[in-house]
């Protein structure tokens, strides 16, 4: 007697999404991130909402390539020059050199969207090495 085990294509994947899965957009969150101090330097007033592209299964964050933008929840505030530096080198190496886990920070910031006081505490704690 023969039988067949049928498994879904995502049966052993940590992230069931695919390129066809629409990314989560949150313009309100991005606008708020831009008002916060830089997670790198603490500079206030000219930050960009910088998307984190590398993936990490601990956060269920899939890696996104150049043609894909991550969900807007995976952003941290950085100055334009810091943002360029992040993209000019290996992104994971950039964050390791800063001693900052940007995925932890992005996740924490997304949970307090709109609460600036809480966000500043998260950023200050992230910068305290």
């Amino acid at each position: 007697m023969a039988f067949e085990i049928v498994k879904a294509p995502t049966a052993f994947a940590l992230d069931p999404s695919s390129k066809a899965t629409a990314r989560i957009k949150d313009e309100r969150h991005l606008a708020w991130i831009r008002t916060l101090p830089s997670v790198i330097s603490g500079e206030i007033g000219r930050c960009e909402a910088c998307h984190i592209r590398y993936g990490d299964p601990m956060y269920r964050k899939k890696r996104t390539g150049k043609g894909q933008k991550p969900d807007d929840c995976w952003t941290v505030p950085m100055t334009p020059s810091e943002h360029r530096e992040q993209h000019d080198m290996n992104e994971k190496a950039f964050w390791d050199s800063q001693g900052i886990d940007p995925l932890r920070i992005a996740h924490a910031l997304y949970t307090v969207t709109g609460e600036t006081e809480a966000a500043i505490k998260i950023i200050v704690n992230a910068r305290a090495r």
Side-chain angles (χ1 to χ4, degrees), residues 6-123:
V6 178
K7 69 172 184 67
T10 58
F12 298 104
L14 291 173
D15 184 353
S17 61
S18 69
K19 285 186 179 185
T21 304
R23 65 182 281 271
I24 298 169
K25 298 177 186 175
D26 191 338
E27 288 299 324
R28 189 176 55 96
H29 177 69
L30 296 179
W32 176 71
I33 286 287
R34 292 179 191 109
T35 69
L36 299 174
S38 165
V39 73
I40 303 292
S41 64
E43 190 173 323
I44 299 172
R46 57 184 206 104
C47 283
E48 298 175 349
C50 306
H51 289 81
I52 309 304
R53 292 190 179 277
Y54 76 87
D56 189 327
M58 185 170 90
Y59 294 100
R60 294 186 51 92
K61 161 76 173 70
K62 70 177 184 174
R63 181 188 178 283
T64 51
K66 296 243 185 224
Q68 287 181 290
K69 191 172 249 184
D71 293 340
D72 288 343
C73 62
W74 299 112
T75 56
V76 293
M78 294 187 341
T79 65
S81 62
E82 294 162 349
H83 193 186
R84 278 192 305 280
E85 184 180 352
Q86 172 206 16
H87 288 303
D88 285 347
M89 62 186 289
N90 175 285
E91 185 179 23
K92 182 76 169 96
F94 170 82
W95 288 109
D96 288 347
S97 74
Q98 300 298 323
I100 294 174
D101 178 351
L103 295 174
R104 182 177 60 79
I105 304 310
H107 180 267
L109 291 174
Y110 198 67
T111 63
V112 300
T113 295
E115 298 176 31
T116 303
E117 229 174 273
I120 290 172
K121 287 179 185 176
I122 291 166
I123 291 167

